[in-house]
Amino acid sequence: YKYHFWDGAVLPIGLGCSLILNAVFIARHINLDRALTLPDVFAKRYGKLVEAMVSCCTITSFLCLLAGNLVGMGAVLAYLLTMTPTGAIWMSAVLVFAYTVAGGLYSVAYTDVLQAAVGWLGCMTLAFYSIKNEKITAPPPSIGFPSYKYPDDTTCEMYDGVPCENDVTACCYNTDKWCPSDNKCFYDNGAYPFGDQSHFTDQMTNAYSLTPFPNAVVFNWANIFVLAFGNLAGTL
């Protein structure tokens, strides 16, 4: 999480945008049509043929989604119940089938509130736990490597840093203390050449903000648009 804040943030941003787009532009029309699914909307406007075509597309799409969900659910069950992945996937399929037959779309609607409450409770609990235990369980700052520049005075003092060769006002890795010889060298992969930083503010606008590390600025923006418009169809 340390250097790629936006790589994770694009997921909730994209999904949140899809819900906003749905609420602003689409939900009202679906409610007026009294439609339950996306093919229903096309059927009312373009006829049965288009409804059948859209149904085939959505069925194919959701079969791929269902396969991924079953594998994910199977992985969780296999870990919790110490069973084989194949058996766990079959158990997941049976549970999903029973759940769908028992209530279908109504079962989803009736349990959404409970599921959302449990989800939010878990998120808040994890957030408060992480904040409370951050200083206790988090690893120390990077000790760095020869020529590594420390991000602040606290880290510099922690590792007895010395003035940098190219910039005496900055504090760098103490080679004489931590790496006196090749067979006695203590170092790690610090964030050269910038030092440790929580995140880079221009990561979504500058493709070179993480240099020399790769910056997924194009993929991040693509993820937002794909999730916003792709999940918009999924929510319908």
Side-chain angles (χ1 to χ4, degrees):
Y1 74 96
K2 207 168 205 178
Y3 306 107
H4 305 283
F5 169 81
W6 289 104
D7 293 353
V10 295
L11 178 61
I13 291 175
L15 295 176
C17 288
S18 73
L19 296 178
I20 294 174
L21 290 172
N22 189 13
V24 174
F25 298 106
I26 299 177
R28 178 170 59 88
H29 302 288
I30 294 178
N31 290 332
L32 290 175
D33 286 342
R34 303 182 65 83
L36 292 177
T37 64
L38 185 61
D40 290 340
V41 176
F42 283 90
K44 290 179 178 294
R45 283 172 165 73
Y46 306 108
K48 292 293 184 180
L49 177 61
V50 176
E51 179 187 19
M53 295 172 58
V54 174
S55 297
C56 291
C57 292
T58 55
I59 288 173
T60 303
S61 174
F62 277 93
L63 280 175
C64 298
L65 177 62
L66 177 61
N69 289 340
L70 289 178
V71 171
M73 186 175 178
V76 174
L77 290 178
Y79 176 79
L80 295 177
L81 304 178
T82 60
M83 57 190 305
T84 64
T86 302
I89 292 174
W90 278 107
M91 178 182 289
S92 302
V94 172
L95 291 174
V96 171
F97 178 79
Y99 180 80
T100 304
V101 171
L105 291 174
Y106 289 103
S107 64
V108 176
Y110 288 146
T111 58
D112 268 351
V113 175
L114 177 61
Q115 293 175 11
V118 173
W120 277 108
L121 179 62
C123 289
M124 297 301 295
T125 302
L126 179 61
F128 282 109
Y129 176 83
S130 300
I131 293 172
K132 181 176 178 59
N133 294 277
E134 179 184 9
K135 294 182 180 180
I136 299 174
T137 59
S142 298
I143 187 174
F145 48 81
S147 300
Y148 177 81
K149 183 173 69 174
Y150 291 118
D152 50 50
D153 294 337
T154 302
T155 309
C156 175
E157 295 174 1
M158 180 184 299
Y159 297 118
D160 296 324
V162 296
C164 299
E165 294 182 2
N166 297 326
D167 184 3
V168 295
T169 62
C171 181
C172 284
Y173 177 87
N174 191 336
T175 305
D176 294 334
K177 178 175 181 178
W178 299 113
C179 194
S181 62
D182 292 340
N183 58 357
K184 189 179 180 181
C185 193
F186 300 95
Y187 65 93
D188 60 18
N189 294 324
Y192 177 86
F194 305 107
D196 294 331
Q197 297 189 36
S198 57
H199 68 278
F200 295 83
T201 57
D202 60 343
Q203 186 180 343
M204 292 294 284
T205 57
N206 179 10
Y208 301 98
S209 64
L210 300 182
T211 301
F213 300 113
N215 186 4
V217 59
V218 176
F219 294 102
N220 285 343
W221 280 110
N223 275 330
I224 290 177
F225 284 106
V226 168
L227 288 170
F229 293 98
N231 194 65
L232 178 63
T235 56
L236 299 178

